[in-house]
Amino acid sequence: MTESSYTPLFETKRAKGSLIYKLFAISRFVGIIFIWFYRATHITENGRIRPVWIGMFGAEIWFGFYWILTQAVRWNRIYRRTFKDRLSQRYENDLPGVDIFVCTADPNIEPPIMVINTVLSVMAYDYPPEKLSVYLSDDAGSDNTFYALLEASHFAKHWIPYCKKFGVEPRSPEAHFRLETNKLEPYQAQHLASVKKLYQDMENRIELAKKLGNFSKNALLEHRGFSKWDTFSSKGDHDSILQILIDGRDAEAKDTEGCRLPTLVYLAREKRPEHFHNFKAGAMNALIRVSSEISNGPIILNVDCDMYSNNSHSIRDVLCFFLDEEKGHDVAFVQFPQDFHNITKNELYGGSMRVICEVELHGLDGYGGPLYIGTGCFHRRDTLCGRKFIKGSKFQWKENSVPKTGESIAELEERIKELASCTFEKNTQWGNEMGLKYGCPVEDVITGFSIQCRGWKSIYSNPERKGFLGVSGTTLDQTLVQHKRWSEGDLQIMLSKFSPIWYGLGKIDFGLIMGYSTYCLWSPNCFATLYYSMIPSICLLKGVSLFPQVSSLWILPFAYMIITEHAYSFAEYLWSGGTALGWWNEQRIWLYKRTSSYLFAAIDTFLKLVGYSDSAFVISAKVSDQDVEQRYEQEKMEFGVTTTPFFAILTSLAMLNLFCFIGMVLKVIRAGGVEFDHEIMALQIVLCGVLVLINLPLYNAAFFRKDKGRMPSSVTLKSVFVALSLCTCCYAFL
Ligand SMILES: *[C@@H]1O[C@H](CO)[C@@H](O)[C@H](O)[C@H]1NC(C)=O
Ligand SMILES: CC(=O)N[C@H]1CO[C@H](CO)[C@@H](O)[C@@H]1O
């Protein structure tokens, strides 16, 4: 192709209104400076430093600094659009192979039927089947999951042709059956009925096998695969189990319409108690090696087992980025947002992470690309395996195919099983320079970061119709636990040798370093937030003023910052597609995350630094009975777990603010309004009042609710006691 005829496969646009945003941000920066200046100049009273003010100053310095960091994810937002028709015109016959990795780890939390729905949705991608391979990594080594996958490999022969014939979307059977189907044409309705029947029969067999704990004679006879469980002793102690269920290279592998099928592989890597398994990163690395001997697709898609594909064209979208002749050479991975199909309208737990997906990741894209968030991400195989970026070099997409050896499938399986053994990685660069990195709870983020530090870019692909939909946490506890894990992992990155600051400096854009830092510094936010949500209220009770009085000009920067902060975040939230009540819920969860998840994350990180391996913190199991599900759908907060330390903190804090507020009101009434100076207390009254308002669902759960999701009374009692003692102590000594 000549230079002049080049038409790009994708286009990039800057966000609209970015000049207005920049002016606005500058005005807020000026506001911050004023507040800092006010604190610095008013910190003494009668020549003595006011100790409570030092904390306020510290908190405000932190908030200001953190706000500056968050500008990196807003300043330079960009949006992408792809041209899939051009891709087909130019490359339809030379499309690269794509290997899809689905990871599952526990058949109880991640039911096999959900896993195979995800698998079926990606097997049915609109893509040449002989170039598509799907690998399931089962870290539990569960024969139930294997059996479900075996069933899915049969069902796929009916499902895929059905999807293609009628252009069905989305292609997860369960999601498809959930849709309204009464407007279908009779011809499709008939097909749907028969495919649905097959699905339900399959589901019943899988359920039954799980219940009985054994498999039908047919399945056992038909598939030699089950014999590999003969030596299985436990989830953490077994041989590698590798099974190629559909061999896409085999011309015999055909669906009911006579079309080829994608390759389908089951892998449970070897586990031994004496070898550490490195969680998902270890599973991914085993898959990278095993797949390199089977299909060796130059593109790897990694999805969690609960995230089905909602768009059968996603692979083509992504190839527009990778194959673009001018701008595709430095792209290492393309990340989709993490979206969910079971979000309620007003997102009680802020589960959709709306603003992160619709705003912030676009901002990172403007500085070199989003983080790798561990699911919904397409990688180039070579960059994932450690390749460095060299300017000017062009990648040959076609040279990767695996030579045909003439082995039988059993021989092939036997030969490459070794690649998934515990000892294979000894004395290699796996987990370090190659594959996903080990030793960090958020291995995905650090892996993406180190790829970017080798000179590569990533791209954020967020088309209107979402590419992948997963399941979001449905209780408060799950949400807080998840955020504890994330914020803790991110903080560990910050303190590790791969800190965005010292490792990234000079290797990636400074804006991207700031962007990474906003996430890596989630957890330290807890201190300033805790201070701000306790001390002003206690001082209110005592009558100590911490903010300028209403008639002073100094009130202006405070008022400006408070009003713009909330007006802006409200507008941003609505713009991202949320509801007004959703925003209010988001504010509450913001407070809860900061005062509990982030606090525990910071404490645990500190304990690890000084040598304690782990705090006594226990992660509670995922509860998901019908009651809980129903309350989730009614958007009632779920507090009915006694084992978590989170709620004690949240409740104590809420009670503290309630008591301070009531105490203040009583004082005003008693004094008949004479002694109490509203002028100098105005901001504290507002702050404490808002904290009480935002906690209303919590008071409700503690004092009024009767259902099982209410606050356990032991937690309420303890918290009331703690809050009262805190109030009394502080009142006496402050
Ligand atoms: C998922 O796909 C369907 C159609 O395929 C579409 O109507 C729906 O809006 C998509 N969901 C999301 C959240 O984008
Ligand atoms: C509100 C909502 O859509 N809830 C769904 C979340 O996902 C689970 C599991 O798929 C469903 O059972 C819920 O109905």
Side-chain angles (χ1 to χ4, degrees), residues 484 487-488 491 523 596-606:
K484 181 204 171 248
S487 57
E488 183 177 346
L491 183 60
S523 154
S596 63
S597 308
Y598 294 179
L599 177 67
F600 279 100
I603 293 175
D604 271 6
T605 307
F606 175 74

Side-chain angles (χ1 to χ4, degrees), residues 216-277:
S216 70
K217 282 223 173 65
N218 279 344
L220 293 176
L221 282 180
E222 176 203 17
H223 212 275
R224 66 203 150 76
F226 286 98
S227 65
K228 301 200 176 167
W229 269 269
D230 292 348
T231 59
F232 183 92
S233 58
S234 78
K235 180 180 159 172
D237 189 6
H238 63 82
D239 240 345
S240 308
I241 303 174
L242 172 66
Q243 314 241 15
I244 302 176
L245 294 175
I246 302 177
D247 180 7
R249 294 173 305 172
D250 179 1
E252 296 295 292
K254 292 215 170 110
D255 64 27
T256 52
E257 306 269 301
C259 298
R260 300 279 288 271
L261 283 168
T263 298
L264 181 65
V265 178
Y266 173 91
L267 173 72
R269 64 194 163 118
E270 185 190 10
K271 291 270 189 72
R272 298 292 172 210
E274 64 273 20
H275 291 280
F276 188 59
H277 56 78

Side-chain angles (χ1 to χ4, degrees), residues 151-165:
E151 286 282 354
S153 72
H154 300 317
F155 178 65
K157 294 179 185 161
H158 304 273
W159 177 247
I160 297 175
Y162 169 74
C163 288
K164 296 200 169 159
K165 195 170 200 167

Side-chain angles (χ1 to χ4, degrees), residues 389-409:
F389 176 66
I390 300 167
K391 226 180 155 70
S393 81
K394 303 221 158 168
F395 188 67
Q396 294 307 323
W397 288 98
K398 281 191 290 177
E399 69 193 14
N400 283 56
S401 61
V402 186
K404 269 213 146 100
T405 53
E407 303 165 287
S408 71
I409 290 201

